[in-house]
Amino acid sequence: MNVTAEILKPFWARLVLWSIVAGALVLAWLNRFIQDDAFISFRYALNLVNGHGLVWNPGERTEGYTNFLWTLFMAVPHFLGIGVVQFAMCLGMAFFLGTLLLTYRTALEISNSQATALLTLALLSTNYTFIAYATGGLETQMQTCLLMGCLFFAVMGTREKASGGMLAGYSVLAGLSILTRLDSAVYLIPITLLLFWSILRRGSRSEQISRLMLLCLPAVLLVLPWFLWKISYYGDIVPNTFYAKFNSQTSMIRGAQYLFSFYAAYWLLPFVILLPFSLRFILERSPRHILPITVAILLWCSYVVFVGGDFMEFRILVPIIPLLMMLIAWLIVEFVRQMEIRYALVLLVIAGSVYHAVTFEMNNRIGYESISFLEKHLTPEGGNWINMGRALAKEFNAGSEVTVATGASGAIPYYSGLRAVDLYGLTDEHIAKYGVPWTSVPGHQRRAELTYLVSRDVNLVIGGMRRTPGNESRVHSYEEMRGWHAVIHSPRDIPPDSCLIEIPTPDGRTFFAWYIVKNPTIDKAIETGKWLVHPVAP
């Protein structure tokens, strides 16, 4: 009996399909997590619901998020009074399921092969990065799902008897994906060109014009008003994060290292080597959609190199992982003839994902953080940032006019509810454009000067945790404070009456905060003697 043939029968194909999908959902939920950057969107959404608008601090219009549509979704749990973390996780899982089903349907339409479609889904469902970023609290799976929807509608829209609804559907999803993240446009370039070519090669001139209108108009009606609103509200089309991330020490070498690390970590380098040898095969014998998919992968990889990669474990590559697995599955089934080599290549991809999930923690050499490390920032076992934010909320209410500055500009500002300045400038226009160049790590290239924080009336610059509460006060020198989060050019930058204080967290530990601008509420708390105070020597 031919086992493969049996599997490909309709009943068994559906059984295998839903078994893979169910397994992927279970794995994704077991690997669920939340990361600090998600709380940036949560804070914008909370301020929107509270009537302040889409702002980081009330009264300050700075676009410090890159995921407009996702941020609007995050307003829903705040409006309903339900947990935003749980809502974000469940919504991410819903988009994850959508991505899985759209990937399968698209692979089936392109290859006309049940084996290729199921293999694509199996490889995708065992990719650790793709599974883990089903959650995380950011827009990753939403963008990926919308882009896969675009590809599916594009494939259906290039058929000889395709309806105009497919083109309109593509246009709507393309507009929504750009509203989710502007960089979706990079992915959409070759797919849109494919649709243009498909429209212009058949039909009368009037039919071509009407179909081009269906292809363009819905996206324009979605994106153009948004652009006009951004200009009137924020004064710019691109978000402030563009200046923080790309207007400084962006390193293409770091981006190339990041990209290479992804392919090496997942043992995918053999397929990178195989690709040049298979280009002729792709051009001559592949379905017409394989080429634009290949171009989309190459364009996105080039974009990743150009922006210097990311500091998070391969998150920026998630949107093209379904395309990668589709291309790999198609090459294995169509290009490789020996069954033994086919099985070996499939096992290589799956084993590479397992190896990566088990062994990868953090690569300090190129500066990106593992998924488990991202999660630990928030937990008591790691940075304890959630408890730090809650401790600030307990000590100071929103009416105390206390302002904090922190590089961990997610959970700490969100849970504290206090006016906050991001030391890396993601939500601060001045730091993003004029902060001191510091590193080439994406999102961390520039850093605030202490003198600027003083001019912004920042009271507390938040530092790290002390595992056990201290019981002795000691003087901290200028040299020690130079290693603090804000940039200090000379001893004259340090306010003469500044000090370090230790603020207790709910779990019995303390964290440091540099008190630089006087505030009556903070002075009163210090006078009670419940905080340990460390003098700072200019």
Side-chain angles (χ1 to χ4, degrees):
M1 180 179 64
N2 189 325
V3 176
T4 303
E6 286 295 318
I7 290 176
L8 297 183
K9 288 182 177 180
F11 170 78
W12 292 107
R14 287 194 295 270
L15 181 61
V16 172
L17 166 65
W18 289 108
S19 296
I20 294 173
V21 169
L25 290 171
V26 171
L27 286 174
W29 188 249
L30 291 175
N31 286 283
R32 68 190 182 277
F33 78 108
I34 193 72
Q35 61 192 92
D36 189 61
D37 280 36
F39 289 89
I40 295 176
S41 294
F42 297 169
R43 180 173 164 111
Y44 273 91
L46 178 60
N47 279 329
L48 177 64
V49 171
N50 288 338
H52 302 302
L54 273 175
V55 295
W56 176 249
N57 293 316
E60 300 176 13
R61 293 186 178 183
T62 303
E63 188 182 5
Y65 56 89
T66 56
N67 48 11
F68 172 75
L69 199 56
W70 178 260
T71 299
L72 291 185
F73 271 120
M74 292 305 101
V76 173
H78 291 105
F79 180 79
L80 297 177
I82 60 179
V84 64
V85 172
Q86 293 74 20
F87 180 86
M89 284 188 175
C90 291
L91 187 59
M93 289 291 294
F95 281 116
F96 174 74
L97 173 61
T99 304
L100 291 174
L101 297 178
L102 284 168
T103 301
Y104 169 77
R105 281 296 309 276
T106 306
L108 186 60
E109 291 292 334
I110 290 174
S111 65
N112 197 29
S113 165
Q114 195 76 252
T116 302
L118 289 173
L119 179 58
T120 298
L121 193 63
L123 297 180
L124 182 62
S125 300
T126 52
N127 183 276
Y128 173 71
T129 296
F130 178 76
I131 286 172
Y133 281 113
T135 54
L138 286 172
E139 75 292 341
T140 311
Q141 277 298 331
M142 180 178 181
Q143 181 189 25
T144 306
C145 182
L146 288 172
L147 290 174
M148 279 307 305
C150 287
L151 180 59
F152 174 74
F153 274 101
V155 170
M156 302 301 290
T158 55
R159 287 182 166 184
E160 287 294 331
K161 297 182 179 180
S163 67
M166 292 297 174
L167 297 175
Y170 171 85
S171 188
V172 169
L173 290 182
L176 293 177
S177 66
I178 291 173
L179 288 175
T180 303
R181 278 188 69 96
L182 272 173
D183 57 10
S184 297
V186 176
Y187 183 113
L188 294 172
I189 289 171
I191 301 171
T192 305
L193 290 176
L194 173 68
L195 283 169
F196 270 105
W197 174 80
S198 177
I199 291 171
L200 296 176
R201 62 186 282 267
R202 63 175 182 259
S204 65
R205 181 60 59 88
S206 61
E207 288 175 334
Q208 291 174 354
I209 292 174
S210 64
R211 292 175 73 82
L212 286 173
M213 291 290 289
L214 287 172
L215 177 61
C216 300
L217 191 58
V220 170
L221 292 177
L222 284 169
V223 175
L224 182 59
W226 177 53
F227 279 171
L228 295 175
W229 172 79
K230 278 159 65 75
I231 292 172
S232 65
Y233 195 79
Y234 296 117
D236 206 337
I237 288 180
V238 298
N240 185 66
T241 52
F242 170 82
Y243 301 102
K245 293 180 179 180
F246 308 139
N247 194 34
S248 49
Q249 298 187 93
T250 300
S251 170
M252 293 181 66
I253 294 176
R254 178 184 289 275
Q257 289 176 325
Y258 181 89
L259 189 65
F260 175 82
S261 295
F262 170 76
Y263 286 101
Y266 277 102
W267 298 355
L268 296 178
L269 290 177
F271 295 97
V272 177
I273 297 170
L274 181 64
L275 184 60
F277 296 99
S278 59
L279 277 178
R280 184 176 177 181
F281 180 80
I282 291 174
L283 292 171
E284 293 180 354
R285 298 179 55 187
S286 69
R288 58 182 169 177
H289 302 99
I290 291 294
L291 181 58
I293 286 174
T294 306
V295 174
I297 293 170
L298 294 175
L299 278 178
W300 193 269
C301 289
S302 300
Y303 161 71
V304 169
V305 172
F306 176 74
V307 301
D310 195 8
F311 74 93
M312 302 180 200
E313 178 191 341
F314 307 140
R315 185 180 79 91
I316 197 174
L317 289 165
V318 170
I320 63 163
I321 292 178
L323 302 187
L324 277 171
M325 298 307 156
M326 197 181 302
L327 181 59
I328 288 171
W330 180 79
L331 286 173
I332 290 174
V333 173
E334 300 294 334
F335 185 71
V336 179
R337 293 304 176 190
Q338 295 85 353
M339 292 300 297
E340 295 80 4
I341 298 178
R342 284 185 183 179
Y343 292 141
L345 290 174
V346 171
L347 289 175
L348 177 70
V349 177
I350 296 174
S353 183
V354 173
Y355 175 82
H356 169 76
V358 172
T359 63
F360 186 84
E361 274 301 321
M362 183 175 182
N363 191 330
N364 288 311
R365 183 173 62 85
I366 59 174
Y368 53 87
E369 301 176 4
S370 68
I371 289 167
S372 61
F373 197 87
L374 289 170
E375 183 178 32
K376 286 178 182 176
H377 283 314
L378 304 176
T379 64
E381 294 76 22
N384 210 22
W385 292 347
I386 289 178
N387 277 335
M388 289 167 69
R390 287 171 172 164
L392 290 168
K394 180 181 178 182
E395 298 292 344
F396 314 110
N397 58 55
S400 62
E401 297 185 353
V402 171
T403 300
V404 299
T406 175
S409 289
I412 292 175
Y414 176 79
Y415 282 104
S416 71
L418 301 175
R419 181 170 173 266
V421 175
D422 174 19
L423 290 170
Y424 299 122
L426 294 178
T427 60
D428 187 285
E429 184 177 354
H430 176 87
I431 300 171
K433 294 180 178 179
Y434 309 111
V436 177
W438 196 258
T439 70
S440 61
V441 178
H444 300 74
Q445 292 101 319
R446 294 184 181 270
R447 190 172 289 192
E449 297 174 283
L450 181 62
T451 51
Y452 173 71
L453 299 181
V454 172
S455 72
R456 288 288 309 273
D457 291 325
V458 170
N459 305 113
L460 300 174
V461 184
I462 306 301
M465 291 293 301
R466 185 195 282 268
R467 290 297 171 186
T468 56
N471 52 22
E472 291 184 359
S473 176
R474 72 177 183 87
V475 176
H476 288 253
S477 68
Y478 162 68
E479 291 298 328
E480 288 178 289
M481 298 315 295
R482 288 188 67 188
W484 204 255
H485 297 293
V487 176
I488 308 171
H489 296 292
S490 75
R492 292 190 299 273
D493 292 344
I494 300 178
D497 52 355
S498 71
C499 61
L500 286 180
I501 57 178
E502 292 189 44
I503 301 176
T505 59
D507 58 353
R509 288 175 280 181
T510 64
F511 64 93
F512 288 101
W514 189 5
Y515 184 23
I516 58 174
V517 174
K518 291 299 181 180
N519 179 282
T521 305
I522 300 175
D523 289 337
K524 184 177 180 180
I526 290 176
E527 290 171 5
T528 63
K530 63 180 180 179
W531 294 347
L532 189 63
V533 177
H534 303 263
V536 174

